[in-house]
Amino acid sequence: MKVRIKKQFLVTLFYLVTFPSFSQGWNPLPMLTQQSKAAGNMGGEGCQVISSIAIDGTGNLLLMGTDVGGLYKSTDGGINWKPCNKGFKPRGSAYTAIDPNNNNRFIVVGGNSSAWDWHGIWLSTDQGESWSNTLPKKHGIDAAPGRGYNMIAYDPSTFSGGKTNTIYWSAPSDVTNGGGLFKSTDGGQTWVNLIPTMGGSFIAVHPTKGYLYVGNSTGLYKSTNGGTSFTQLFATAILGLAVTKANPDWLYIVRSFDIELSKDAGATWTKKSGNGLPTSAANGGLGWTRIHCSPINSNLLTITNETGAWYDVPSYRSKDGGDNWIKPTYNTNYVFFPNNVAARIERPAFHPTNANIIVSCSGDWICRSTDGGDNYSFSNNGNNGVLGGYFNFNPFHNNIILICTQDYNSTLTTDGGATWKYLNVSGQGWGGFNYGGYAFNGKSMYAGNASGWSNPRFLYTSFDGGQTWTNTNLQGSGSD
């Protein structure tokens, strides 16, 4: 036994001496191609569902939440990203928000696909360097109307003592220890449940007068007294709403394949044409939903069409207040994994002073527009959230590593992680369920591949650097 202990110690010492950086902490290793590196990118594969993106009043600071990949922030207008999860216990978030009057203060609705006691409201007062769980609530991330809907709203008119004091949260409908419409009057430190039946609603606050708008399956409601009482404005289901600082009395709402605009805080309404938007949901989905408006151009809008299929959720853009719409174009250069352009709901963050700049997402990667939403391009540097499993280092070629991922096939580096190559093990193109792999050299390798979650794994081999793969029909002992 003493001999074995000594050998283990010597091996440990060897690694500490050979790789001293390990003792100093970990560095991110985002995936990127040689082409992307040559273009000056640091890389970022993304690969976790983006739930929301918040932007501050300068346009430089952004906060992005994912479903199970934690939180990221950018300090250069959404060009580069880094994690900000110190002290943040949830694996992901359902919504992110930044105090409009003090960008040191973040509010995040912690959550992921499973419900845990430490979800709920998390507050940071130092731009995400530390976090506290000020309102623990056990909930998942996909409760109706789903992740990323307008569930947090600040009342900018309540600024005092260095912070915006009044904040509303429409807690998801699956909260097991009390959902509903919550209100804080001390910047998110403490909360009260105003109306338990108003959980899972879209909410917005009038930018100057503090009116609270709530939209849900029973209709549209307005409060002029901080949520003490409400007047119902519509009795049909509301699928989205948006206000704008450019015209504070304006309020956009979305109903079933219908967009309405009020220019007098909900007193009267005008129907918008919606030209260019689909007139039905191919797979029985909600159709038009989640409308967003620029804070400085009240005619610049985005909207999502939920078809009912998770892989088909296209977004549209209007520059004339909702009468005419187009689909944006997404430049997929430098996107490492298949991008699933239409597969994810758009989460736009409009720049507060330049209407041409919008930071959003396409698939599971951040993109950025500089022409008001007509065209988007890769802006995902630093967002390295791919979920991998166990992997092995090659003892004979220490620059060669094959990593298998839960949803996105596999990836190979032959230069120690400086650049990577996407491996389409499954043959599905968009991704695949790969677990356990190894590269003998740059040509010969194997990976476990399953046809879906919880399905059996089979051994696949390649002898041409991952260009083609063969199913050996040898089944592994476990599923994904």
Side-chain angles (χ1 to χ4, degrees), residues 282-337:
N283 297 288
L286 293 173
W288 308 349
T289 181
R290 289 175 170 82
I291 194 167
H292 299 272
C293 184
S294 165
I296 57 173
N297 180 353
S298 51
N299 290 310
L300 179 57
L301 307 169
T302 66
I303 201 169
T304 295
N305 183 50
E306 290 198 29
T307 66
W310 67 267
Y311 53 82
D312 187 18
V313 194
S315 297
Y316 297 81
R317 189 272 303 141
S318 174
K319 290 185 176 179
D320 61 2
D323 286 324
N324 296 282
W325 298 80
I326 66 163
K327 270 188 178 182
T329 298
Y330 298 94
N331 184 343
T332 59
N333 287 341
Y334 314 133
V335 176
F336 185 80
F337 284 106

Side-chain angles (χ1 to χ4, degrees), residues 112-176:
N112 57 49
S113 51
S114 300
W116 298 98
D117 292 330
W118 50 82
H119 290 172
I121 295 294
W122 286 74
L123 171 67
S124 174
T125 59
D126 53 10
Q127 294 191 352
E129 296 302 311
S130 63
W131 295 91
S132 58
N133 192 188
T134 61
L135 182 61
K137 288 292 177 181
K138 187 176 182 179
H139 69 91
I141 197 173
D142 290 317
R147 70 190 81 183
Y149 68 92
N150 305 39
M151 65 175 76
I152 292 286
Y154 285 89
D155 180 357
S157 66
T158 63
F159 177 70
S160 67
K163 62 182 180 297
T164 301
N165 287 284
T166 297
I167 314 171
Y168 299 94
W169 175 37
S170 179
S173 57
D174 73 336
V175 171
T176 57

Side-chain angles (χ1 to χ4, degrees), residues 75-378:
T75 57
D76 58 5
I79 306 298
N80 296 286
W81 300 84
K82 65 177 182 179
C84 56
N85 299 296
K86 185 177 181 179
F88 184 74
K89 190 172 183 179
R91 289 194 303 160
S93 71
Y95 199 79
T96 58
I98 300 176
D99 188 325
N101 294 303
N102 181 348
N103 67 3
N104 288 308
R105 302 178 67 88
F106 295 168
I107 288 285
V108 166
V109 180
N112 57 49
S113 51
S114 300
W116 298 98
D117 292 330
W118 50 82
H119 290 172
I121 295 294
W122 286 74
L123 171 67
S124 174
T125 59
D126 53 10
Q127 294 191 352
E129 296 302 311
S130 63
W131 295 91
S132 58
N133 192 188
T134 61
L135 182 61
K137 288 292 177 181
K138 187 176 182 179
H139 69 91
I141 197 173
D142 290 317
R147 70 190 81 183
Y149 68 92
N150 305 39
M151 65 175 76
I152 292 286
Y154 285 89
D155 180 357
S157 66
T158 63
F159 177 70
S160 67
K163 62 182 180 297
T164 301
N165 287 284
T166 297
I167 314 171
Y168 299 94
W169 175 37
S170 179
S173 57
D174 73 336
V175 171
T176 57
N177 56 351
L181 179 63
F182 288 81
K183 180 180 181 179
S184 174
T185 56
D186 57 7
Q189 193 64 47
T190 61
W191 298 80
V192 295
N193 194 339
L194 294 178
I195 304 178
T197 59
M198 280 191 169
S201 300
F202 294 93
I203 62 175
V205 173
H206 189 290
T208 58
K209 299 176 182 177
Y211 301 157
L212 174 62
Y213 304 108
V214 176
N216 53 41
S217 60
T218 64
L220 177 67
Y221 302 86
K222 175 183 175 180
S223 175
T224 60
N225 54 14
T228 301
S229 62
F230 285 86
T231 300
Q232 188 172 34
L233 304 182
F234 279 101
T236 53
I238 302 300
L239 302 176
L241 50 81
V243 296
T244 172
K245 288 175 61 177
N247 285 287
D249 283 337
W250 284 29
L251 173 64
Y252 287 97
I253 64 167
V254 182
R255 300 186 295 173
S256 180
F257 299 101
D258 175 43
I259 301 170
E260 303 276 345
L261 169 63
S262 174
K263 295 185 177 181
D264 50 17
T268 61
W269 298 87
T270 301
K271 181 180 178 65
K272 308 305 292 185
S273 300
N275 297 321
L277 292 175
T279 57
S280 64
N283 297 288
L286 293 173
W288 308 349
T289 181
R290 289 175 170 82
I291 194 167
H292 299 272
C293 184
S294 165
I296 57 173
N297 180 353
S298 51
N299 290 310
L300 179 57
L301 307 169
T302 66
I303 201 169
T304 295
N305 183 50
E306 290 198 29
T307 66
W310 67 267
Y311 53 82
D312 187 18
V313 194
S315 297
Y316 297 81
R317 189 272 303 141
S318 174
K319 290 185 176 179
D320 61 2
D323 286 324
N324 296 282
W325 298 80
I326 66 163
K327 270 188 178 182
T329 298
Y330 298 94
N331 184 343
T332 59
N333 287 341
Y334 314 133
V335 176
F336 185 80
F337 284 106
N339 54 294
N340 298 331
V341 167
R344 306 300 187 192
I345 296 171
E346 187 181 31
R347 325 288 189 187
F350 294 93
H351 197 280
T353 61
N354 185 342
N356 287 321
I357 297 176
I358 307 172
V359 178
S360 189
C361 63
S362 175
D364 298 333
W365 51 281
I366 295 291
C367 56
R368 191 170 184 265
S369 174
T370 57
D371 57 10
D374 292 353
N375 299 278
Y376 287 89
S377 57
F378 176 88

Side-chain angles (χ1 to χ4, degrees), residues 32-88:
L32 78 166
T33 64
Q34 182 61 53
Q35 176 197 21
S36 183
K37 183 179 181 180
N41 291 307
M42 66 175 288
E45 68 277 5
C47 298
Q48 300 302 331
V49 179
I50 296 168
S51 58
S52 68
I53 307 171
I55 190 168
D56 78 336
T58 70
N60 294 319
L61 180 65
L62 292 94
L63 178 65
M64 180 263 287
T66 67
D67 60 343
V68 295
L71 306 170
Y72 289 79
K73 74 175 181 180
S74 172
T75 57
D76 58 5
I79 306 298
N80 296 286
W81 300 84
K82 65 177 182 179
C84 56
N85 299 296
K86 185 177 181 179
F88 184 74

